[in-house]
Amino acid sequence: MLIPSRYARLWFCWLLAGSLALIWAPRLQGQPSSKSPSVAEVFAAVPFDQWAREPAATPIPWKVHLHSYGLSVHQRLVAGIALVIEGRELVKRVQDGRLLALVRVTDEHGREYHDFGAIDIREVKPENRKNVWVSTWDAFALPGDYRVELALYDKASREHNFMKSRLHVAGLKKDPLPDAWKGLPDWEFWAPITEQRDAIYRPDIETDLHLAVRTHREIQVELLADLTPSDLFHGSNRFYTHYLSVALPLLKELSEMELAHGSLTVAALDLRQRRVTFEQDHVTRLDWERLRPVVSVENGPGTINVKKLQQKQENPDFLRDELLRRLGHGDGPAAPIKVFIVLGSPMDFYAFHPLPPIEPAQAEKCVVYYLQYELYGSYATGALGRVRKMLDPIPIHAIKVRSPESIRKALARIVEEVGEL
């Protein structure tokens, strides 16, 4: 099953303008098991290359849309392919079982990328004839021109559609991270993922951004993510998920930094319960299997008693406590420089209490980058002044992020400045 990406939902909203309803058809991708075929096996079972040499055919009415959606929060360009079939056509073929869709994308170097999907029409009801069925394929793509070939095959009737088209994926103008895509494949199909947190994080994509930090001295980077399901979200899992849709990809990107000299630690904090919910030292690849339960729906703001929160306002003291505790490690003249990158939501709804001053000696050889996500629809301004006061005299660079472009600029700044320490 494929959950359509937010890009596809926006792209096809125009279909709802008429009397037709929009239904997302399941796209089943072959998984490595004894019950499902591989992509290679599916393509070997049909004369795809023969169809490609023949004139275009459309005995099954359809519409195909190709689109380049631009930069995503994953700091990758996203491209999409969508197949649209009207419900009345499926109702006519309900006895045929399944329609098989096969996609082949060829890049400028002649490299081919394949995927497939099966649209199960056995459960289509007569009342679905006025609906529109859409099946989508999304992918990360590098800038360039691609040849897209798409086939739709009805095994029962032996009919097949075939189309060829071109898709141009434009690059970024004045890219602040021009080397970030170095070594990446031109095209990477997304796997069909139904689990919400996985769909945000995309564990199926195992390639990393190229974020080389050319340090000349020992640097210890500690990435601290405030994943607290706090009062800011008003008990809404939807608002919390919206925050995670930016926080998790950004956490993944930052964890991909390659330090020439030093190490990277990643930790997740729950400021409400004053505890570290996840920690991984010497990160080369973030352990998503261990991190996923921390941000599960079961641990979200929907489980919090909002009335109790209002009676006892949350505070960010634990964040400061953790910074100071971690600063205490590796003291001495030969200790590495500590770089803290704090990823969090606005702290406007936190209560800032008077705290003992931080000793100036503790702030030496330390710098903090505070990346604050500006939550859409929120009146929060970030309380950055109070955050600075809470951490004074530790140097703090506050950066607000909201769009993929602002995230890219923040990453470029951190990579450059940390490399100059």
Side-chain angles (χ1 to χ4, degrees):
M1 296 283 288
L2 171 68
I3 293 181
S5 70
R6 64 186 179 90
Y7 307 101
R9 287 199 293 269
L10 293 171
W11 171 236
F12 287 103
C13 64
W14 61 271
L15 289 172
L16 295 174
S19 60
L20 298 177
L22 183 62
I23 295 180
W24 296 102
R27 176 172 72 80
L28 306 178
Q29 181 178 357
Q31 301 294 336
S33 72
S34 58
K35 295 184 179 180
S36 57
S38 68
V39 175
E41 289 171 334
V42 171
F43 271 79
V46 299
F48 192 90
D49 289 329
Q50 177 184 328
W51 294 341
R53 293 190 294 269
E54 297 172 350
T58 55
I60 307 172
W62 69 347
K63 292 181 181 179
V64 177
H65 301 274
L66 311 179
H67 201 73
S68 176
Y69 299 106
L71 188 66
S72 72
V73 291
H74 286 271
Q75 296 309 300
R76 303 284 296 277
L77 300 173
V78 177
I81 303 167
L83 185 160
V84 184
I85 306 175
E86 293 190 1
R88 61 174 176 267
E89 186 62 32
L90 298 181
V91 170
K92 289 192 304 184
R93 298 173 181 271
V94 70
Q95 300 301 321
D96 293 355
R98 285 185 175 184
L99 296 179
L100 183 65
L102 303 95
V103 180
R104 180 168 69 187
V105 176
T106 306
D107 65 24
E108 296 175 338
H109 307 285
R111 291 184 291 255
E112 296 180 353
Y113 310 87
H114 303 78
D115 205 353
F116 77 94
I119 304 175
D120 192 341
I121 54 177
R122 290 171 294 187
E123 301 299 323
V124 175
K125 306 298 182 184
E127 55 267 27
N128 295 137
R129 68 178 59 252
K130 292 185 178 181
N131 297 334
V132 172
W133 294 71
V134 181
S135 189
T136 65
W137 290 261
D138 290 316
F140 288 140
L142 297 186
D145 292 294
Y146 298 86
R147 183 173 75 248
V148 178
E149 297 166 298
L150 180 64
L152 181 65
Y153 180 48
D154 186 332
K155 186 177 180 180
S157 69
R158 299 289 180 178
E159 294 175 298
H160 77 273
N161 286 7
F162 198 91
M163 62 82 66
K164 305 175 187 177
S165 189
R166 293 279 178 177
L167 174 63
H168 175 71
V169 177
L172 302 177
K173 296 180 179 179
K174 299 180 180 180
D175 187 359
L177 281 173
D179 295 329
W181 299 328
K182 183 178 179 180
L184 294 178
D186 287 56
W187 189 277
E188 293 179 88
F189 277 113
W190 293 1
I193 294 176
T194 57
E195 203 285 320
Q196 190 178 59
R197 300 303 191 245
D198 282 342
I200 291 172
Y201 187 83
R202 298 242 60 96
D204 55 306
I205 301 298
E206 297 183 351
T207 54
D208 295 339
L209 295 175
H210 182 68
L211 300 176
V213 183
R214 309 184 193 283
T215 55
H216 302 289
R217 56 193 300 182
E218 191 76 10
I219 302 289
Q220 187 172 351
V221 176
E222 301 222 18
L223 175 54
L224 307 180
D226 173 12
L227 300 181
T228 311
S230 69
D231 194 23
L232 173 67
F233 307 108
H234 302 288
S236 169
N237 277 313
R238 182 170 63 88
F239 288 161
Y240 185 54
T241 298
H242 183 66
Y243 168 61
L244 294 178
S245 69
V246 173
L248 291 180
L250 181 51
L251 182 62
K252 184 180 182 182
E253 292 147 16
L254 288 165
S255 72
E256 293 170 356
M257 289 192 302
E258 301 173 16
L259 302 173
H261 302 283
S263 63
L264 174 67
T265 296
V266 176
L269 309 182
D270 186 328
L271 306 189
R272 174 172 54 88
Q273 298 188 31
R274 297 184 58 84
R275 63 191 182 103
V276 177
T277 54
F278 168 89
E279 185 154 9
Q280 183 180 351
D281 296 323
H282 303 287
V283 176
T284 56
R285 178 172 296 280
L286 194 58
D287 190 343
W288 173 241
E289 290 300 317
R290 286 204 300 119
L291 178 59
R292 182 199 288 115
V294 173
V295 294
S296 67
V297 175
E298 290 76 13
N299 293 326
T303 63
I304 300 171
N305 189 317
V306 177
K307 290 184 177 180
K308 288 185 178 180
L309 281 179
Q310 292 172 345
Q311 295 170 359
K312 184 179 180 181
Q313 194 173 12
E314 298 167 314
N315 67 72
D317 296 1
F318 183 65
L319 173 60
R320 191 179 105 139
D321 293 345
E322 270 299 293
L323 282 172
L324 295 180
R325 182 180 71 83
R326 293 166 187 271
L327 272 176
H329 292 177
D331 290 335
I337 296 177
K338 292 267 191 171
V339 177
F340 292 98
I341 304 176
V342 180
L343 172 61
S345 58
M347 292 190 177
D348 298 70
F349 296 98
Y350 285 83
F352 287 77
H353 302 143
L355 296 169
I358 297 174
E359 294 294 330
Q362 291 180 283
E364 294 179 358
K365 302 180 71 173
C366 165
V367 63
V368 174
Y369 287 90
Y370 176 59
L371 300 182
Q372 178 210 290
Y373 173 54
E374 291 185 292
L375 196 64
Y376 285 97
S378 170
Y379 294 102
T381 60
L384 291 178
R386 288 184 285 175
V387 173
R388 290 182 187 277
K389 184 177 180 180
M390 178 182 71
L391 298 179
D392 185 65
I394 297 175
I396 178 170
H397 303 286
I399 307 174
K400 291 185 178 183
V401 294
R402 183 169 188 173
S403 64
E405 292 75 18
S406 64
I407 291 173
R408 199 169 187 85
K409 290 179 181 178
L411 289 172
R413 176 181 170 182
I414 291 172
V415 167
E416 179 181 1
E417 293 182 359
V418 173
E420 294 173 350
L421 291 174

